[in-house]
Amino acid sequence: MSDDQKRVLVTGASGGIGRAIAVQAAKAGYYVIAHYNHGKEKAEETLAQINAAGGKGELLQFDVTNRDDCKAKLDSLTEKYGALWGVVSNAGVTRDNTFAGLSGEDWDFVVHTNLDGFYNVVQPLTMPMARKKKGRIIAISSVSGIMGNRGQTNYSASKAGLIGVTKALAVELASRGITVNAIAPGAIETDMIKDAPMDLILQTIPMKRAGKPEEIAALAVFLLSEDAGYITRQVISVNGGML
């Protein structure tokens, strides 16, 4: 790995959108730190795809809901490499139910993972980036955070929170040359929608199809690039034309 190769952390890189981002970022020349919590075998498959694509990277395990674990692992990472060029906060979960039937445990699990996880991962990396006066931060939000979805009050709240964080943090870091943006995917072909009522969902999508993880990854890799240096504080929807 050359000293000037940009290093990017992708959380939740063991499958779906995270894997696609990790692999495409590696293809674009970034050294990818592919995060996982559980599912080491799937994470190793991601790393194998990175290597097969001619890229370079490594795996890093931690629990995004465990603040102390995150800080310890990420402090060690910056001690090893210095400031990262970019971080894609992608790790996310769902536990759907109507609000009346939603347990406190399911609310907390989703919000702690999707929203608190952003803080736990990005906050320890921010000051090293600020000292370097360059970097890219990307939050993977959702159409649910913009429109709201029935049976997803916890998920919608967590993803809407990421939009608020993106807009506020972008203002704080703009003078340091660090961009902060959010991507809001619609229905994407991942395990997250495997049990969803696709017939009904497709009726809301003008393109009449689900998106592909690679279509999210293409935007993420562009936002990581030098060419995207004047794009910040934006929430970009990738959803086939949903409102």
Side-chain angles (χ1 to χ4, degrees):
M1 180 174 60
S2 63
D3 291 338
D4 61 352
Q5 188 173 24
K6 293 183 175 69
R7 300 170 182 88
V8 173
L9 170 66
V10 180
T11 67
S14 58
I17 291 172
R19 174 178 290 173
I21 293 172
V23 173
Q24 288 203 32
K27 287 181 179 178
Y30 298 99
Y31 182 89
V32 177
I33 299 127
H35 157 266
Y36 71 99
N37 185 19
H38 306 295
K40 185 178 181 181
E41 288 185 3
K42 288 186 176 181
E44 288 173 341
E45 290 173 8
T46 297
L47 186 58
Q49 289 187 25
I50 287 171
N51 294 331
K56 296 180 180 179
E58 65 185 84
L59 299 180
L60 183 63
Q61 187 278 332
F62 57 85
D63 179 356
V64 299
T65 69
N66 185 322
R67 190 162 296 161
D68 292 338
D69 189 26
C70 287
K71 182 169 174 53
K73 298 287 178 60
L74 296 172
D75 284 350
S76 294
L77 193 67
T78 52
E79 286 174 11
K80 180 179 179 181
Y81 291 132
L84 300 184
W85 168 255
V87 54
V88 182
S89 181
N90 166 75
V93 295
T94 58
R95 283 192 180 177
D96 297 348
N97 206 338
T98 61
F99 187 70
L102 189 67
S103 70
E105 179 186 358
D106 286 350
W107 175 276
D108 289 345
F109 178 67
V110 170
V111 172
H112 289 337
T113 302
N114 298 356
L115 183 55
D116 295 352
F118 178 94
Y119 173 87
N120 294 342
V121 171
V122 176
Q123 200 273 346
L125 300 174
T126 300
M127 279 308 299
M129 283 184 177
R131 293 188 192 102
K132 285 283 188 178
K133 295 187 176 181
K134 56 185 178 181
R136 302 284 185 265
I137 297 170
I138 301 171
I140 303 300
S141 182
S142 170
V143 66
S144 295
I146 298 172
M147 297 173 57
N149 271 343
R150 178 183 175 86
Q152 287 195 320
T153 52
N154 51 358
Y155 187 73
S156 295
S158 67
K159 293 299 188 176
L162 287 176
I163 291 172
V165 169
T166 294
K167 290 185 174 293
L169 187 58
V171 176
E172 291 187 15
L173 298 179
S175 65
R176 292 288 179 171
I178 300 169
T179 67
V180 188
N181 293 290
I183 299 173
I188 306 298
E189 294 175 353
T190 67
D191 288 345
M192 194 169 282
I193 67 165
K194 66 181 180 180
D195 297 322
M198 288 307 299
D199 289 346
L200 294 176
I201 291 172
L202 291 176
Q203 293 176 24
T204 70
I205 303 173
M207 285 192 172
K208 301 302 179 186
R209 69 171 178 88
K212 300 180 184 301
E214 292 76 15
E215 292 172 314
I216 307 301
L219 175 58
V221 172
F222 173 68
L223 291 175
L224 287 170
S225 72
E226 295 275 7
D227 289 341
Y230 202 54
I231 302 173
T232 196
R233 209 184 183 192
Q234 302 306 303
V235 180
I236 304 175
S237 295
V238 185
N239 62 24
M242 300 171 73
L243 292 176

